[in-house]
Amino acid sequence: MEILAKLAFALYALVIITGAIMAVTAKSLVRALVGLIGVMIGVAGMYLLMAAPFVAFMQILIYVGGVSVLIFFAIMLTKASPDGDESSPNSLRSTLNALVAMLAPGIILSVVILRYPPESFPRPTDVGAFDLGEGMLGPYLLPFELISIILFVAMAGAVLVAWRKWGDK
Amino acid sequence: MEFRPDLIIPELYQLLLIGALFIQGIADRPWMPRVGKWLSWCAGVGILISAGSLDLNGLIFVGSYRVDTLSQFFKFAVSFGFAVAVLNATRQPTLEKEKHCEYFMFMALSAWGLMILSSCVELISIYLALELASFSLFPLVPLRSGEKGAAEAAVKYVFFGAAATAIGLFGFSLILASQHTTYLIDFMQKPWAWSEAPMAVAGLTLFLCGMLFKLALFPFHFWAPDVYEGASNETVAYISTMPKLGAVVVLIRLSMLLKPGLEITTILALLAAVSITYGNLAALIQTDVKRLLGYSTIAHAGYVMVGLTAGTTEGVAAAAFYSFIYVIMNFACFWVICRIATDGRNLKLDDLNGLYKRAPGLALVLAVGAMALVGLPPTAGFMGKLFLLTAAWNHSYNWLVVIAAANIAISIYYYLNLVRHAYTKEAPESTPTAVPYPFFSLLWGGLLAALLILFGILPGLVFKALPPSL
């Protein structure tokens, strides 16, 4: 079981990393979106490994099923062409800068976590929908309610910014 | 644990205002009275309500929401700042008439987020309340009509804000993974030194990055001058003061963990020193008044951190006092700027020339505000800086106090430059001889200046509302 879990972890990590590289480097936005979907599926796999099947299914349902379709619509509606300003190749300098910016926190954090592994359970305990519900209406009631207001702000803000005057054609 | 609605009356009142603004905003025809009229009165009532609830005490929402003297003081400061901001923005020249309701609704939502934030004692609630406060500000920036820079400022604000949010959330996940709790009260029993809990320290550092971004502390300051330049004067008056209150209250809550000697405290002290120096030096060469005040915000964020790194109750009280005073003095300066820029343009320093002749009252308010920002007696800015530095001396890092004191001398130049332009330079012939301003604008501006002098002479008035022990 141990080895299987490690294999599964490696597989999901590979899916996530490939998807992420694809999302960043792809010339076409739709291909980048496909990479992003790959990342989301890989993350859902990670949730399954942590014995949180409910969260994993929600990840697939909401992100893979919902959010990515929304992004796809946004791409279609904005007519983003693959040869816009951003499509010019990056200079070596900015690529190097980006690599350093990516590697520095990654290396620091991985060294910290590998050298001082946090206390954790030898085997993950199941977190089902019931436990989540208990948490959200128990100790995490306030954040649970706050999220809904933040969503309202995000939507109303988007409407306000995109809004034209009454009768303005 | 029972839920007590009487503990959250200021928040409920603010929510009522938000609801009213929302309804008026979606109405199919313009409703009377106009939003600017009734809202400034209602926000004034809000100040009274939060002043009346200063003494409340309790713990609700399963221990994640603490109502205590600290939170009530900051709620009072927020409702005061909100009322001034509303009053300041009612005659905003660059805002389309149809969007007034929504503008104020988002401003009220942001203030509401800050109110909730000041009571949160649980990390994810803190995080979400802070996001509510800053998300609500994103739509305000691009609402400045007829200005190309506004869109650029909005895009910068949103993207940098989103990145800071993501970093903060990542840090949160590391904290949760290593400490297994999100309640601040449980954090007290956990180790926060690098040798004992390196992952938690790394997580807290990342989480603080998100907070310091809101505070515009160096090196998370880069967005501030650009955003301030692009957004309208009235919006900047709000953005440059109120979210700082929220960041300060979070840092005060976290300062229970940050004892001098810990690695995080040293990093924060270092950042404070760099922030003060950088903000002041960069402000020296600015000619745009809003950009100048933007850099001064960076320096002031550093001053507040000086008190917080002390880790004593005096330091925390000094930081709370200073952030309240900062709200008043910043609003006093912006009040004058917004009145002078009658068409909503960005003011240059030269636009202030000869102000003493054109608008003597406003020039006086500006002089008091600028002197308070420097920290000259008898203004409240002097008392605030005095308390900060004395609280930090021998408790925090003495080199930091020395740097902060030296920087006050540097900052005299550019703050008093505002006054110099207003008083000693003559206006060119082409400018109109008098700034048209109604009686009320002078009255409220004068009130802000009077408060600055009053709290400078009697700082005890504010300290009485502050907690004796945190």
Side-chain angles (χ1 to χ4, degrees):
Chain A
M1 284 305 275
E2 279 279 291
I3 296 171
L4 261 185
K6 278 179 183 150
L7 272 180
F9 178 82
L11 178 71
Y12 295 141
L14 194 72
V15 169
I16 291 177
I17 292 173
T18 328
I21 292 176
M22 189 171 161
V24 175
T25 54
K27 281 267 178 279
S28 138
L29 277 177
V30 179
R31 288 210 182 130
L33 179 62
V34 173
L36 187 65
I37 293 175
V39 173
M40 288 161 174
I41 292 177
V43 171
M46 291 287 188
Y47 286 135
L48 276 180
L49 264 188
M50 287 188 273
F54 184 73
V55 182
F57 293 136
M58 283 302 120
Q59 165 85 10
I60 290 184
L61 192 71
I62 296 171
Y63 283 92
V64 181
V67 173
S68 52
V69 172
L70 206 66
I71 299 177
F72 189 68
F73 273 124
I75 293 174
M76 285 200 307
L77 290 176
T78 47
K79 294 186 205 138
S81 80
D83 36 44
D85 281 347
E86 302 86 8
S87 64
S88 56
N90 292 324
S91 66
L92 186 67
R93 194 194 154 94
S94 64
T95 318
L96 276 180
N97 282 350
L99 269 181
V100 169
M102 183 193 79
L103 287 179
I107 289 175
I108 293 174
L109 287 175
S110 49
V111 166
V112 165
I113 292 169
L114 286 180
R115 280 193 60 184
Y116 310 92
E119 294 171 43
S120 49
F121 308 106
R123 177 161 297 190
T125 42
D126 259 345
V127 181
F130 183 77
D131 302 312
L132 285 178
E134 287 265 280
M136 278 182 183
L137 294 180
Y140 296 101
L141 176 65
L142 182 66
F144 179 64
E145 299 295 336
L146 276 179
I147 286 176
S148 59
I149 297 175
I150 291 183
L151 279 179
F152 163 73
V153 168
M155 284 190 290
V159 171
L160 176 62
V161 171
W163 185 30
R164 299 254 161 255
K165 274 183 225 162
W166 296 124
D168 206 35
K169 298 277 151 56
Chain B
M1 205 175 308
E2 72 177 309
F3 176 64
R4 288 174 53 199
D6 58 306
L7 286 179
I8 50 167
I9 289 174
E11 291 93 318
L12 289 178
Y13 181 74
Q14 187 77 11
L15 189 61
L16 191 76
L17 290 185
I18 294 168
L21 285 168
F22 180 68
I23 292 171
Q24 190 172 8
I26 57 169
D28 54 353
R29 61 198 155 77
W31 280 7
M32 299 304 279
R34 277 187 25 252
V35 59
K37 282 228 171 81
W38 66 264
L39 188 63
S40 24
W41 288 110
C42 291
V45 174
I47 301 182
L48 296 181
I49 289 179
S50 29
S53 59
L54 274 176
D55 297 328
L56 292 180
N57 230 316
L59 196 61
I60 49 175
F61 286 123
V62 206
S64 63
Y65 200 77
R66 174 178 288 285
V67 176
D68 57 8
T69 333
L70 176 74
S71 75
Q72 299 311 96
F73 176 75
F74 271 92
K75 275 174 208 166
F76 173 72
V78 168
S79 54
F80 176 82
F82 174 66
V84 178
V86 167
L87 206 59
N88 188 24
T90 43
R91 281 169 213 279
Q92 199 174 151
T94 51
L95 180 64
E96 290 162 30
K97 266 217 168 58
E98 293 79 9
K99 296 189 175 172
H100 268 234
C101 277
E102 287 75 14
Y103 182 87
F104 287 120
M105 185 181 81
F106 281 106
M107 203 183 251
L109 269 168
S110 167
W112 193 59
L114 291 174
M115 281 183 170
I116 292 177
L117 179 65
S118 50
S119 273
C120 288
V121 287
E122 192 265 322
L123 212 53
I124 192 76
S125 317
I126 288 179
Y127 176 79
L128 286 170
L130 193 68
E131 285 317 308
L132 176 60
S134 50
F135 263 46
S136 317
L137 294 179
F138 293 154
L140 295 189
V141 177
L143 284 190
R144 185 188 204 185
S145 56
E147 171 81 31
K148 285 254 164 54
E152 187 200 330
V155 168
K156 277 186 179 164
Y157 198 30
V158 171
F159 276 100
F160 290 146
T165 300
I167 290 172
L169 199 57
F170 185 54
F172 169 79
S173 71
L174 290 181
I175 297 177
L176 185 59
S178 82
Q179 308 286 41
H180 299 294
T181 176
T182 57
Y183 281 79
L184 293 189
I185 195 138
D186 299 331
F187 280 166
M188 305 274 283
Q189 274 91 48
K190 307 272 178 177
W192 288 96
W194 177 260
S195 51
E196 289 167 90
M199 198 162 141
V201 173
L204 187 61
T205 315
L206 289 176
F207 188 77
L208 284 176
C209 290
M211 300 292 124
L212 300 181
F213 176 85
K214 308 285 189 286
L215 196 60
L217 195 81
F218 184 91
F220 310 103
H221 63 279
F222 45 84
W223 58 276
D226 288 342
V227 170
Y228 292 177
E229 197 180 359
S232 75
N233 295 333
E234 286 80 357
T235 313
V236 176
Y238 189 91
I239 294 182
S240 67
T241 42
M242 301 293 280
K244 308 286 182 294
L245 278 179
V248 170
V249 78
V250 174
L251 289 170
I252 289 180
R253 294 268 183 212
L254 289 176
S255 71
M256 300 184 294
L257 316 171
L258 306 173
K259 298 284 173 257
L262 285 182
E263 291 86 357
I264 296 185
T265 320
T266 312
I267 294 176
L268 287 179
L270 209 63
L271 291 185
V274 180
S275 190
I276 295 173
T277 317
Y278 173 82
N280 276 331
L281 292 182
L284 285 179
I285 50 163
Q286 301 303 324
T287 54
D288 185 301
V289 179
K290 266 197 302 182
R291 253 188 119 77
L292 187 152
L293 287 175
Y295 280 108
S296 105
T297 317
I298 298 170
H300 279 280
Y303 286 121
V304 174
M305 288 307 298
V306 173
L308 290 175
T309 50
T312 58
T313 47
E314 288 85 13
V316 168
F321 177 79
Y322 195 75
S323 49
F324 178 56
I325 296 302
Y326 178 70
V327 169
I328 308 180
M329 53 199 186
N330 213 28
F331 268 123
C333 286
F334 270 105
W335 184 270
V336 177
I337 293 170
C338 296
R339 297 292 85 71
I340 299 172
T342 40
D343 52 355
R345 67 183 189 283
N346 280 358
L347 285 184
K348 298 276 168 212
L349 275 174
D350 288 335
D351 289 330
L352 296 173
N353 285 356
L355 191 67
Y356 76 101
K357 236 183 229 165
R358 290 183 284 154
L362 289 180
L364 187 65
V365 173
L366 181 68
V368 174
M371 283 182 184
L373 283 170
V374 185
L376 289 182
T379 58
F382 167 71
M383 290 320 266
K385 284 205 169 97
L386 185 70
F387 290 138
L388 277 179
L389 297 185
T390 47
W393 187 254
N394 280 341
H395 287 288
S396 165
Y397 304 86
N398 284 350
W399 53 265
L400 178 60
V401 178
V402 172
I403 291 177
N407 268 287
I408 294 175
I410 300 179
S411 69
I412 288 180
Y413 172 76
Y414 65 90
Y415 285 127
L416 292 193
N417 205 8
L418 294 173
V419 182
R420 184 175 69 100
H421 274 274
Y423 274 95
T424 63
K425 295 225 170 170
E426 292 302 327
E429 298 298 319
S430 57
T431 45
T433 46
V435 177
Y437 58 94
F439 167 73
F440 269 107
S441 77
L442 190 58
L443 177 72
W444 298 123
L447 194 69
L448 288 176
L451 279 179
L452 280 179
I453 293 180
L454 177 72
F455 292 148
I457 298 168
L458 300 169
L461 290 178
V462 180
F463 269 96
K464 239 190 289 175
L466 274 172
S469 63
L470 286 155

